[in-house]
Amino acid sequence: MAHAKKFSQIPMSKCMRDLCKEEDYTFLNSLEKPDESPEESTCVESECQEKQEERIRRQQEREQLDREKQREIEEQQKEKDKQWKSHVAELAVQRKAIRAKLDRLREFRDFQKKVVLQDLGLDPGSANESVKHLLMRL
């Protein structure tokens, strides 16, 4: 089996190496048995063909599983995107509500300042430290 040593230096996948070994053994066996009848050679060929069909079937099953996994991953990604978009929309609504509340608080603060200044009889435009201090305490 000098060819095995020679071919072992060639880099290839394990699956491909197994496939090559099967073909090599089939070929070498057919060379060693020249006295085979045509029926035996067709039997060997049919076995090889069956093995090839089995490999093709397994490969198609793997490809089908890979497609299904890929589809599931895509569906999960779409679901995550949908959840993220709804979360962002919810945050935007919350942000608007907080800004509206802030605006109402500022309006109330201005109104409160105006009332205090009127009660004290001061000019609304004056910046008195005691008024600021009083509003801070409120």
Side-chain angles (χ1 to χ4, degrees):
M1 292 249 164
H3 71 284
K5 290 179 184 175
K6 184 177 181 181
F7 292 137
S8 67
Q9 302 299 322
I10 299 173
M12 63 176 73
S13 69
K14 187 176 182 179
C15 178
M16 190 65 186
R17 191 172 299 280
D18 291 339
L19 181 66
C20 290
K21 282 182 183 177
E22 284 180 28
E23 291 174 354
D24 287 348
Y25 288 129
T26 304
F27 176 72
L28 291 173
N29 286 337
S30 67
L31 288 179
E32 291 174 0
K33 301 177 185 176
D35 56 340
E36 277 184 359
S37 66
E39 292 175 2
E40 290 178 0
S41 64
T42 56
C43 181
V44 170
E45 288 175 7
S46 66
E47 286 177 11
C48 289
Q49 188 175 5
E50 288 175 8
K51 289 180 182 179
Q52 181 69 19
E53 289 172 359
E54 180 65 21
R55 279 194 293 271
I56 291 171
R57 186 187 59 76
R58 286 193 309 259
Q59 181 182 7
Q60 289 173 345
E61 287 175 357
R62 283 192 304 271
E63 289 172 355
Q64 179 67 24
L65 288 174
D66 288 344
R67 284 192 295 267
E68 289 175 5
K69 286 180 183 178
Q70 185 65 29
R71 184 181 49 79
E72 289 175 5
I73 290 170
E74 289 172 358
E75 288 176 4
Q76 289 174 354
Q77 186 64 33
K78 286 179 183 178
E79 182 64 29
K80 286 181 182 178
D81 288 344
K82 185 178 177 182
Q83 289 175 354
W84 177 251
K85 287 179 182 179
S86 67
H87 176 70
V88 168
E90 184 179 318
L91 289 177
V93 168
Q94 289 177 355
R95 190 174 292 132
K96 285 181 183 179
I98 290 172
R99 284 185 181 150
K101 192 174 185 178
L102 177 65
D103 290 340
R104 287 193 308 272
L105 285 172
R106 284 183 179 156
E107 288 175 15
F108 177 73
R109 201 68 159 148
D110 291 341
F111 171 75
Q112 197 177 26
K113 182 178 178 181
K114 182 179 168 184
V115 169
V116 168
L117 288 175
Q118 284 178 352
D119 286 346
L120 295 175
L122 298 173
D123 181 27
S126 69
N128 192 348
E129 288 296 319
S130 61
V131 173
K132 287 183 181 179
H133 184 68
L134 181 62
L135 287 174
M136 290 276 240
R137 292 183 62 194
L138 290 175

